[in-house]
Amino acid sequence: NIAIPASYFMVGILQGLSGPLINVLPLDLGASEAQQVTVAILDSLPASFKIVFGFVSDNFPILGYRRKSYMWLGWMMASLSMWTLLATSNLRDVQPNSAGCFSNGGRDN
C-alpha cells in the first residue's frame, strides 16, 4: 500500500515549502515577536498529537478502515482550511518590493 508513504511524502513537501514562509512572511508583514512565536507553535502543534491520533484511529475505525479514512478526513480538513484561508485573506494587497520583501503598500491592515 502506497498511501502512507505518499502521505508522508506530501507532508514533507508541504512543510518544506511552507517553512520559509512561516519564518520570513511574518517579519515582512511587521508581526511582533510574540506573534511570530505563536505562528511557529501553531505550525508544530499537530505533530504533538501523533500518538493520540494513532490511538484513536486504531481503536475507532471509520467504515472498517483504521488509517485510510482518517488520512482522507485529515487531507480534506487541511484542504478546506487552505481554501478558506485563501478565500478570506487579504494577500491581494501584499506586493513584493524591489528588495524582494513583501509590503502592503503602507497600509496597516
PDB file of all heavy atoms in Angstrom, residues 25 29 83-95 102-109:
ATOM      1  N   LEU A  25       7.673  35.541   6.132  1.00  0.00           N
ATOM      2  CA  LEU A  25       6.495  36.356   5.851  1.00  0.00           C
ATOM      3  C   LEU A  25       6.017  37.166   7.057  1.00  0.00           C
ATOM      4  O   LEU A  25       5.727  38.354   6.910  1.00  0.00           O
ATOM      5  CB  LEU A  25       5.368  35.506   5.280  1.00  0.00           C
ATOM      6  CG  LEU A  25       4.203  36.266   4.677  1.00  0.00           C
ATOM      7  CD1 LEU A  25       4.667  37.173   3.543  1.00  0.00           C
ATOM      8  CD2 LEU A  25       3.144  35.316   4.176  1.00  0.00           C
ATOM      9  N   LEU A  29       5.631  41.291   7.157  1.00  0.00           N
ATOM     10  CA  LEU A  29       4.334  41.916   7.411  1.00  0.00           C
ATOM     11  C   LEU A  29       4.319  42.689   8.723  1.00  0.00           C
ATOM     12  O   LEU A  29       3.288  43.217   9.117  1.00  0.00           O
ATOM     13  CB  LEU A  29       3.230  40.855   7.409  1.00  0.00           C
ATOM     14  CG  LEU A  29       2.999  40.176   6.063  1.00  0.00           C
ATOM     15  CD1 LEU A  29       1.935  39.091   6.195  1.00  0.00           C
ATOM     16  CD2 LEU A  29       2.607  41.171   4.996  1.00  0.00           C
ATOM     17  N   TRP A  83      -8.193  26.376   1.504  1.00  0.00           N
ATOM     18  CA  TRP A  83      -9.092  27.130   0.623  1.00  0.00           C
ATOM     19  C   TRP A  83      -9.784  28.258   1.374  1.00  0.00           C
ATOM     20  O   TRP A  83      -9.967  29.351   0.839  1.00  0.00           O
ATOM     21  CB  TRP A  83     -10.128  26.204  -0.025  1.00  0.00           C
ATOM     22  CG  TRP A  83      -9.562  25.429  -1.163  1.00  0.00           C
ATOM     23  CD1 TRP A  83      -9.292  24.094  -1.208  1.00  0.00           C
ATOM     24  CD2 TRP A  83      -9.164  25.945  -2.441  1.00  0.00           C
ATOM     25  NE1 TRP A  83      -8.750  23.762  -2.413  1.00  0.00           N
ATOM     26  CE2 TRP A  83      -8.662  24.870  -3.192  1.00  0.00           C
ATOM     27  CE3 TRP A  83      -9.175  27.209  -3.014  1.00  0.00           C
ATOM     28  CZ2 TRP A  83      -8.189  25.028  -4.486  1.00  0.00           C
ATOM     29  CZ3 TRP A  83      -8.706  27.346  -4.304  1.00  0.00           C
ATOM     30  CH2 TRP A  83      -8.216  26.279  -5.027  1.00  0.00           C
ATOM     31  N   THR A  84     -10.171  28.008   2.627  1.00  0.00           N
ATOM     32  CA  THR A  84     -10.790  29.053   3.434  1.00  0.00           C
ATOM     33  C   THR A  84      -9.800  30.185   3.695  1.00  0.00           C
ATOM     34  O   THR A  84     -10.151  31.362   3.578  1.00  0.00           O
ATOM     35  CB  THR A  84     -11.282  28.470   4.774  1.00  0.00           C
ATOM     36  OG1 THR A  84     -12.198  27.412   4.499  1.00  0.00           O
ATOM     37  CG2 THR A  84     -11.953  29.526   5.624  1.00  0.00           C
ATOM     38  N   LEU A  85      -8.573  29.836   4.013  1.00  0.00           N
ATOM     39  CA  LEU A  85      -7.543  30.846   4.238  1.00  0.00           C
ATOM     40  C   LEU A  85      -7.302  31.652   2.970  1.00  0.00           C
ATOM     41  O   LEU A  85      -7.192  32.879   3.014  1.00  0.00           O
ATOM     42  CB  LEU A  85      -6.252  30.178   4.696  1.00  0.00           C
ATOM     43  CG  LEU A  85      -5.085  31.086   5.036  1.00  0.00           C
ATOM     44  CD1 LEU A  85      -5.462  32.012   6.190  1.00  0.00           C
ATOM     45  CD2 LEU A  85      -3.875  30.263   5.396  1.00  0.00           C
ATOM     46  N   LEU A  86      -7.246  30.986   1.847  1.00  0.00           N
ATOM     47  CA  LEU A  86      -7.035  31.681   0.577  1.00  0.00           C
ATOM     48  C   LEU A  86      -8.194  32.623   0.260  1.00  0.00           C
ATOM     49  O   LEU A  86      -7.997  33.758  -0.177  1.00  0.00           O
ATOM     50  CB  LEU A  86      -6.872  30.659  -0.549  1.00  0.00           C
ATOM     51  CG  LEU A  86      -6.665  31.219  -1.941  1.00  0.00           C
ATOM     52  CD1 LEU A  86      -5.324  31.923  -2.031  1.00  0.00           C
ATOM     53  CD2 LEU A  86      -6.748  30.117  -2.963  1.00  0.00           C
ATOM     54  N   ALA A  87      -9.418  32.167   0.519  1.00  0.00           N
ATOM     55  CA  ALA A  87     -10.599  32.967   0.186  1.00  0.00           C
ATOM     56  C   ALA A  87     -10.791  34.150   1.125  1.00  0.00           C
ATOM     57  O   ALA A  87     -11.342  35.178   0.723  1.00  0.00           O
ATOM     58  CB  ALA A  87     -11.842  32.085   0.205  1.00  0.00           C
ATOM     59  N   THR A  88     -10.327  34.038   2.366  1.00  0.00           N
ATOM     60  CA  THR A  88     -10.604  35.095   3.339  1.00  0.00           C
ATOM     61  C   THR A  88      -9.405  35.981   3.636  1.00  0.00           C
ATOM     62  O   THR A  88      -9.535  36.929   4.397  1.00  0.00           O
ATOM     63  CB  THR A  88     -11.108  34.489   4.660  1.00  0.00           C
ATOM     64  OG1 THR A  88     -10.100  33.615   5.183  1.00  0.00           O
ATOM     65  CG2 THR A  88     -12.403  33.735   4.467  1.00  0.00           C
ATOM     66  N   SER A  89      -8.249  35.691   3.057  1.00  0.00           N
ATOM     67  CA  SER A  89      -7.073  36.504   3.351  1.00  0.00           C
ATOM     68  C   SER A  89      -7.046  37.742   2.468  1.00  0.00           C
ATOM     69  O   SER A  89      -7.724  37.817   1.452  1.00  0.00           O
ATOM     70  CB  SER A  89      -5.798  35.693   3.149  1.00  0.00           C
ATOM     71  OG  SER A  89      -5.637  35.402   1.783  1.00  0.00           O
ATOM     72  N   ASN A  90      -6.248  38.708   2.864  1.00  0.00           N
ATOM     73  CA  ASN A  90      -6.106  39.925   2.072  1.00  0.00           C
ATOM     74  C   ASN A  90      -4.739  39.965   1.398  1.00  0.00           C
ATOM     75  O   ASN A  90      -4.112  41.013   1.301  1.00  0.00           O
ATOM     76  CB  ASN A  90      -6.319  41.166   2.944  1.00  0.00           C
ATOM     77  CG  ASN A  90      -5.287  41.271   4.044  1.00  0.00           C
ATOM     78  OD1 ASN A  90      -4.510  40.356   4.256  1.00  0.00           O
ATOM     79  ND2 ASN A  90      -5.283  42.387   4.736  1.00  0.00           N
ATOM     80  N   LEU A  91      -4.269  38.822   0.931  1.00  0.00           N
ATOM     81  CA  LEU A  91      -2.960  38.755   0.294  1.00  0.00           C
ATOM     82  C   LEU A  91      -2.939  39.444  -1.068  1.00  0.00           C
ATOM     83  O   LEU A  91      -1.885  39.645  -1.636  1.00  0.00           O
ATOM     84  CB  LEU A  91      -2.505  37.307   0.151  1.00  0.00           C
ATOM     85  CG  LEU A  91      -2.163  36.615   1.463  1.00  0.00           C
ATOM     86  CD1 LEU A  91      -1.762  35.172   1.210  1.00  0.00           C
ATOM     87  CD2 LEU A  91      -1.046  37.347   2.177  1.00  0.00           C
ATOM     88  N   ARG A  92      -4.102  39.814  -1.593  1.00  0.00           N
ATOM     89  CA  ARG A  92      -4.128  40.558  -2.858  1.00  0.00           C
ATOM     90  C   ARG A  92      -3.456  41.919  -2.698  1.00  0.00           C
ATOM     91  O   ARG A  92      -2.938  42.482  -3.644  1.00  0.00           O
ATOM     92  CB  ARG A  92      -5.566  40.733  -3.336  1.00  0.00           C
ATOM     93  CG  ARG A  92      -6.214  39.432  -3.759  1.00  0.00           C
ATOM     94  CD  ARG A  92      -7.649  39.671  -4.185  1.00  0.00           C
ATOM     95  NE  ARG A  92      -8.497  40.056  -3.063  1.00  0.00           N
ATOM     96  CZ  ARG A  92      -9.111  39.206  -2.255  1.00  0.00           C
ATOM     97  NH1 ARG A  92      -8.966  37.919  -2.442  1.00  0.00           N
ATOM     98  NH2 ARG A  92      -9.869  39.615  -1.280  1.00  0.00           N
ATOM     99  N   ASP A  93      -3.442  42.439  -1.465  1.00  0.00           N
ATOM    100  CA  ASP A  93      -2.837  43.744  -1.208  1.00  0.00           C
ATOM    101  C   ASP A  93      -1.334  43.661  -0.971  1.00  0.00           C
ATOM    102  O   ASP A  93      -0.657  44.675  -0.930  1.00  0.00           O
ATOM    103  CB  ASP A  93      -3.485  44.393   0.023  1.00  0.00           C
ATOM    104  CG  ASP A  93      -4.956  44.689  -0.204  1.00  0.00           C
ATOM    105  OD1 ASP A  93      -5.351  44.841  -1.376  1.00  0.00           O
ATOM    106  OD2 ASP A  93      -5.691  44.771   0.785  1.00  0.00           O
ATOM    107  N   VAL A  94      -0.798  42.461  -0.786  1.00  0.00           N
ATOM    108  CA  VAL A  94       0.619  42.298  -0.480  1.00  0.00           C
ATOM    109  C   VAL A  94       1.388  42.142  -1.783  1.00  0.00           C
ATOM    110  O   VAL A  94       1.125  41.257  -2.568  1.00  0.00           O
ATOM    111  CB  VAL A  94       0.838  41.065   0.429  1.00  0.00           C
ATOM    112  CG1 VAL A  94       2.311  40.865   0.702  1.00  0.00           C
ATOM    113  CG2 VAL A  94       0.066  41.224   1.722  1.00  0.00           C
ATOM    114  N   GLN A  95       2.339  43.038  -1.998  1.00  0.00           N
ATOM    115  CA  GLN A  95       3.137  43.047  -3.227  1.00  0.00           C
ATOM    116  C   GLN A  95       4.614  43.012  -2.869  1.00  0.00           C
ATOM    117  O   GLN A  95       5.040  43.656  -1.923  1.00  0.00           O
ATOM    118  CB  GLN A  95       2.857  44.324  -4.030  1.00  0.00           C
ATOM    119  CG  GLN A  95       1.414  44.500  -4.440  1.00  0.00           C
ATOM    120  CD  GLN A  95       0.966  43.442  -5.421  1.00  0.00           C
ATOM    121  OE1 GLN A  95       1.743  42.987  -6.239  1.00  0.00           O
ATOM    122  NE2 GLN A  95      -0.284  43.051  -5.325  1.00  0.00           N
ATOM    123  N   PHE A 102       8.153  41.680   1.152  1.00  0.00           N
ATOM    124  CA  PHE A 102       6.745  41.955   0.924  1.00  0.00           C
ATOM    125  C   PHE A 102       6.302  43.161   1.726  1.00  0.00           C
ATOM    126  O   PHE A 102       6.777  43.412   2.813  1.00  0.00           O
ATOM    127  CB  PHE A 102       5.889  40.750   1.313  1.00  0.00           C
ATOM    128  CG  PHE A 102       6.097  39.577   0.427  1.00  0.00           C
ATOM    129  CD1 PHE A 102       7.039  38.618   0.727  1.00  0.00           C
ATOM    130  CD2 PHE A 102       5.367  39.439  -0.730  1.00  0.00           C
ATOM    131  CE1 PHE A 102       7.242  37.532  -0.088  1.00  0.00           C
ATOM    132  CE2 PHE A 102       5.562  38.368  -1.573  1.00  0.00           C
ATOM    133  CZ  PHE A 102       6.496  37.409  -1.251  1.00  0.00           C
ATOM    134  N   SER A 103       5.393  43.922   1.150  1.00  0.00           N
ATOM    135  CA  SER A 103       4.797  45.033   1.879  1.00  0.00           C
ATOM    136  C   SER A 103       3.349  45.152   1.467  1.00  0.00           C
ATOM    137  O   SER A 103       2.938  44.653   0.431  1.00  0.00           O
ATOM    138  CB  SER A 103       5.530  46.337   1.579  1.00  0.00           C
ATOM    139  OG  SER A 103       5.251  46.757   0.270  1.00  0.00           O
ATOM    140  N   ASN A 104       2.572  45.821   2.295  1.00  0.00           N
ATOM    141  CA  ASN A 104       1.160  46.001   1.967  1.00  0.00           C
ATOM    142  C   ASN A 104       0.881  47.422   1.529  1.00  0.00           C
ATOM    143  O   ASN A 104      -0.194  47.953   1.733  1.00  0.00           O
ATOM    144  CB  ASN A 104       0.271  45.590   3.149  1.00  0.00           C
ATOM    145  CG  ASN A 104       0.538  46.409   4.389  1.00  0.00           C
ATOM    146  OD1 ASN A 104       1.413  47.275   4.383  1.00  0.00           O
ATOM    147  ND2 ASN A 104      -0.174  46.131   5.450  1.00  0.00           N
ATOM    148  N   GLY A 105       1.838  48.052   0.924  1.00  0.00           N
ATOM    149  CA  GLY A 105       1.652  49.387   0.364  1.00  0.00           C
ATOM    150  C   GLY A 105       1.479  50.469   1.403  1.00  0.00           C
ATOM    151  O   GLY A 105       0.850  51.479   1.146  1.00  0.00           O
ATOM    152  N   GLY A 106       2.011  50.273   2.619  1.00  0.00           N
ATOM    153  CA  GLY A 106       1.909  51.281   3.664  1.00  0.00           C
ATOM    154  C   GLY A 106       0.635  51.182   4.491  1.00  0.00           C
ATOM    155  O   GLY A 106       0.448  51.910   5.437  1.00  0.00           O
ATOM    156  N   ARG A 107      -0.243  50.259   4.135  1.00  0.00           N
ATOM    157  CA  ARG A 107      -1.484  50.076   4.914  1.00  0.00           C
ATOM    158  C   ARG A 107      -1.187  49.168   6.106  1.00  0.00           C
ATOM    159  O   ARG A 107      -0.408  48.239   6.001  1.00  0.00           O
ATOM    160  CB  ARG A 107      -2.569  49.477   4.033  1.00  0.00           C
ATOM    161  CG  ARG A 107      -2.998  50.439   2.939  1.00  0.00           C
ATOM    162  CD  ARG A 107      -4.122  49.839   2.103  1.00  0.00           C
ATOM    163  NE  ARG A 107      -3.693  48.680   1.347  1.00  0.00           N
ATOM    164  CZ  ARG A 107      -3.105  48.726   0.165  1.00  0.00           C
ATOM    165  NH1 ARG A 107      -2.826  49.896  -0.384  1.00  0.00           N
ATOM    166  NH2 ARG A 107      -2.763  47.637  -0.474  1.00  0.00           N
ATOM    167  N   ASP A 108      -1.821  49.436   7.220  1.00  0.00           N
ATOM    168  CA  ASP A 108      -1.570  48.668   8.434  1.00  0.00           C
ATOM    169  C   ASP A 108      -2.605  47.588   8.681  1.00  0.00           C
ATOM    170  O   ASP A 108      -2.662  47.017   9.749  1.00  0.00           O
ATOM    171  CB  ASP A 108      -1.548  49.613   9.658  1.00  0.00           C
ATOM    172  CG  ASP A 108      -0.321  50.493   9.648  1.00  0.00           C
ATOM    173  OD1 ASP A 108       0.697  50.068   9.056  1.00  0.00           O
ATOM    174  OD2 ASP A 108      -0.388  51.596  10.192  1.00  0.00           O
ATOM    175  N   ASN A 109      -3.452  47.257   7.742  1.00  0.00           N
ATOM    176  CA  ASN A 109      -4.482  46.242   7.977  1.00  0.00           C
ATOM    177  C   ASN A 109      -4.038  44.889   7.569  1.00  0.00           C
ATOM    178  O   ASN A 109      -3.161  44.595   6.895  1.00  0.00           O
ATOM    179  CB  ASN A 109      -5.782  46.584   7.281  1.00  0.00           C
ATOM    180  CG  ASN A 109      -5.593  46.888   5.799  1.00  0.00           C
ATOM    181  OD1 ASN A 109      -4.479  46.845   5.274  1.00  0.00           O
ATOM    182  ND2 ASN A 109      -6.679  47.185   5.152  1.00  0.00           N
TER     183      ASN A 109
END
